[in-house]
Amino acid sequence: MFYPLSAFIAYRYAKSSKQSQTSFVSFINRFSVAGIALGLMALIIVVSVMNGLEGQLKQRILGIVPHIEITKTPTQNSSAVSELSKTPTQNSSDVSNSLEVTKTPTSNNEVAQTSTATAKINEVAQTSTATAKINETPTFNTGSRSETPNKNVPQQQYVTLDEISKTPIDSVVASMAYREAEAVVQSRSELRGVQVHGVEPGVMLEHTLVASHMEQGRFDDLKEGSFAAIIGRALAIRLDVRVGDRLRVMVAGASVYTPFGRMPSQRLVTVVGVFDMGSQMDDKVMYMNLTDVNRLMRDPKGNGQSLRLFLNDAFNYLSVVNYLTDTMGVSASNVKTWRERQGPLFDAVKMEKNMMTLMLLLIIAVAAFNIVSALVMVVTEKKGDIAVLQTQGMLPRTIMWIFVLNGLFNGVKGAGIGLIVGIVVTLQLNNFLDLIGSPLALAADGRGLPVEMDGIQIVSITLLSLLLCVLASIYPARKAMKIAPSQALQNE
């Protein structure tokens, strides 16, 4: 097979004889290859473990916290004000005349229609009075009626929560009515503060990870009107309760005034299920039926409930928020995401992963730049050979590529060894830990370290290692290219 001359010479030198392999230059060369292999292996292992830990946090915490929550949009109030501002101010006589013209009874039920028209007259008159109070602007008489100018009133369209739930949005797999309240839970022996989540059991059963981590009970047990609750295993241990026990839930946000003073809304609930996500949220969350939570909050019509969106990937929240605010016109203040609660935690994990990656890349860089010292010594040792090649007509550019490809071949050997060993060790990491007697149970199921290998990430790291090897070979290659044959052959 035909090879370029520079690649042929570089490959022959990479497969040098045993006598040359015992030289000091060959030792430095092997040392740099071993350093690249070890650094890449360590980087693959550490990055895979950090990805696994981030995935576990994403599963444990973001499986409980709402991905996106949309609070009540200002549809009713703003629309009412807008309609009032657009209502013309009329006299009661003019209103009655106009209604008599447009609502002339033509059927047998004239009396009923006349009473209806009278009611509408009163309603419009009241609306006109309210408009005069709200919009204190000068009126312009045009014949028998005067209209209020509405040039400065913005024509803004608001979208309702029901419309949002029925609109298909990318990355959103489901939505449900939702309500959250701060409460205090009291058992026979303990008192704890929790977050009460009012949910729809059917949606939670299909689209949440909590449903697949139930130790006892199911979300179907949250029947409407039963005042049943599902709590975390950590909270059940702290309260010393089991399935079937009753708890007293007190909500200060829905307090009422009694002869004994202001008392919080409270209710006895029955524990019907226990979940275990293995996260720090297990002792802070209690699930109840949405209707029961509305009654507990003294809001049976659910005027204070919001809309909860489930995403296929919680990290894709930003595109959904932009669509809601830019396309659907939802106010940014009415959209809450998981980052408002758990953002600092994931930022800390991401920063730690990036710093570990940077440190190990520096180790690979140190090993790669050992190629510089090895190739500089080779250039010094092979000055005569380089001069002979130049006298035979080899171009300086070809000589430069010989040393660049030599460094690349060393990088390929080191990266190949590190890639294979790193993948094997990562796949068998928990077995190796058990073999040396130091198992680490950090996964949700307690089976060991969570490991998640990202193919694109591993390929990027390998290519970056090869790029460092090429960059390290440029200086000695340019030095070899600038050798003058006359000076190099004086002492030969």
Side-chain angles (χ1 to χ4, degrees):
M1 184 180 293
F2 173 75
Y3 293 99
L5 182 59
S6 57
F8 176 76
I9 297 175
Y11 183 72
R12 285 289 300 271
Y13 182 75
K15 296 179 62 177
S16 57
S17 61
K18 294 182 179 179
Q19 183 178 1
S20 62
Q21 288 178 0
T22 58
S23 64
F24 182 69
V25 176
S26 181
F27 171 76
I28 296 178
N29 215 7
R30 292 177 182 177
F31 186 78
S32 62
V33 171
I36 294 171
L38 289 175
L40 184 59
M41 178 191 70
L43 184 55
I44 291 174
I45 295 173
V46 170
V47 169
S48 299
V49 173
M50 293 297 294
N51 288 339
L53 291 174
E54 187 177 23
Q56 286 294 315
L57 287 176
K58 183 179 177 182
Q59 174 183 350
R60 297 180 187 183
I61 296 179
L62 299 187
I64 298 177
V65 177
H67 296 165
I68 294 178
E69 180 184 355
I70 306 174
T71 58
K72 198 74 173 179
T73 55
T75 306
Q76 299 176 352
N77 296 334
S78 299
S79 299
V81 174
S82 179
E83 292 297 330
L84 289 175
S85 63
K86 293 186 291 185
T87 304
T89 304
Q90 299 179 348
N91 296 326
S92 59
S93 59
D94 296 334
V95 171
S96 60
N97 293 333
S98 61
L99 286 176
E100 288 177 359
V101 173
T102 58
K103 297 295 183 177
T104 303
T106 58
S107 63
N108 295 327
N109 299 324
E110 294 182 355
V111 177
Q113 292 184 359
T114 303
S115 60
T116 304
T118 304
K120 291 185 177 181
I121 291 172
N122 296 331
E123 181 180 356
V124 173
Q126 293 177 0
T127 304
S128 303
T129 305
T131 305
K133 292 181 179 180
I134 293 176
N135 298 323
E136 296 181 357
T137 54
T139 59
F140 301 91
N141 296 325
T142 56
S144 62
R145 56 182 298 178
S146 59
E147 295 181 354
T148 303
N150 54 1
K151 295 181 180 180
N152 297 327
V153 178
Q155 303 296 328
Q156 188 173 4
Q157 298 294 330
Y158 291 97
V159 64
T160 63
L161 297 181
D162 186 53
E163 293 175 350
I164 297 175
S165 63
K166 295 179 180 179
T167 303
I169 304 175
D170 292 339
S171 301
V172 177
V173 296
S175 62
M176 73 172 183
Y178 172 79
R179 186 160 195 168
E180 181 177 331
E182 300 289 337
V184 175
V185 178
Q186 181 182 14
S187 65
R188 295 181 178 179
S189 59
E190 190 67 28
L191 189 71
R192 303 287 298 180
V194 297
Q195 297 175 357
V196 178
H197 290 189
V199 298
E200 296 179 359
V203 180
M204 292 292 292
L205 189 61
E206 296 181 4
H207 299 286
T208 184
L209 291 175
V210 181
S212 60
H213 289 77
M214 296 291 297
E215 288 190 348
Q216 293 177 301
R218 290 169 53 88
F219 272 93
D220 292 339
D221 299 330
L222 298 179
K223 305 295 183 181
E224 181 179 345
S226 63
F227 283 92
I230 294 177
I231 62 176
R233 181 173 178 270
L235 182 60
I237 294 175
R238 292 179 181 273
L239 296 177
D240 192 18
V241 295
R242 296 173 179 83
V243 174
D245 292 346
R246 306 189 73 181
L247 299 172
R248 182 176 297 275
V249 179
M250 294 173 285
V251 182
S255 59
V256 294
Y257 290 96
T258 67
F260 300 99
R262 188 173 181 178
M263 299 293 292
S265 176
Q266 53 184 306
R267 189 77 184 223
L268 290 176
V269 300
T270 305
V271 179
V272 296
V274 176
F275 68 90
D276 186 13
M277 292 288 290
S279 71
Q280 61 182 5
M281 300 295 295
D282 285 6
D283 62 341
K284 298 178 177 64
V285 173
M286 170 185 290
Y287 291 103
M288 293 179 62
N289 191 285
L290 178 62
T291 304
D292 295 343
V293 174
N294 287 333
R295 292 176 60 185
L296 181 64
M297 297 294 295
R298 301 186 182 277
D299 182 20
K301 294 183 179 180
N303 294 325
Q305 65 188 23
S306 57
L307 182 68
R308 176 174 176 176
L309 303 182
F310 296 87
L311 308 184
N312 54 6
D313 186 358
F315 289 167
N316 294 335
Y317 73 97
L318 193 57
S319 61
V320 179
V321 172
N322 292 334
Y323 180 82
L324 292 173
T325 55
D326 298 340
T327 304
M328 302 193 71
V330 180
S331 176
S333 60
N334 293 330
V335 180
K336 299 179 181 179
T337 65
W338 60 266
R339 282 199 58 84
E340 298 179 7
R341 302 181 181 182
Q342 303 297 332
L345 174 62
F346 285 88
D347 289 341
V349 173
K350 184 177 181 180
M351 182 183 66
E352 184 178 359
K353 183 174 69 174
N354 292 337
M355 292 305 299
M356 293 294 294
T357 303
L358 178 61
M359 290 172 58
L360 294 174
L361 280 176
L362 291 177
I363 294 175
I364 296 176
V366 171
F369 279 94
N370 283 333
I371 298 175
V372 177
S373 57
L375 290 182
V376 167
M377 296 178 67
V378 170
V379 170
T380 304
E381 184 181 353
K382 302 294 183 180
K383 277 186 177 182
D385 298 338
I386 295 172
V388 171
L389 292 175
Q390 288 180 337
T391 56
Q392 292 180 352
M394 181 174 287
L395 299 175
R397 182 178 59 187
T398 306
I399 294 175
M400 182 189 72
W401 277 107
I402 291 175
F403 290 93
V404 172
L405 292 175
N406 191 9
L408 178 61
F409 288 154
N410 290 334
V412 168
K413 288 191 291 184
I417 296 172
L419 179 63
I420 296 173
V421 176
I423 292 176
V424 172
V425 172
T426 302
L427 293 175
Q428 302 296 326
L429 182 59
N430 289 314
N431 294 332
F432 289 152
L433 292 175
D434 292 336
L435 185 63
I436 64 178
S438 61
L440 297 175
L442 297 179
D445 53 3
R447 295 181 181 178
L449 279 174
V451 177
E452 182 180 345
M453 288 194 300
D454 188 352
I456 298 177
Q457 197 174 39
I458 292 176
V459 171
S460 302
I461 293 170
T462 305
L463 294 178
L464 183 58
S465 302
L466 295 177
L467 179 62
L468 290 175
C469 295
V470 172
L471 293 177
S473 305
I474 291 177
Y475 171 73
R478 292 180 61 86
K479 186 175 181 181
M481 181 181 66
K482 295 179 180 179
I483 290 178
S486 58
Q487 296 179 1
L489 295 175
Q490 284 181 355
N491 298 325
E492 292 293 333

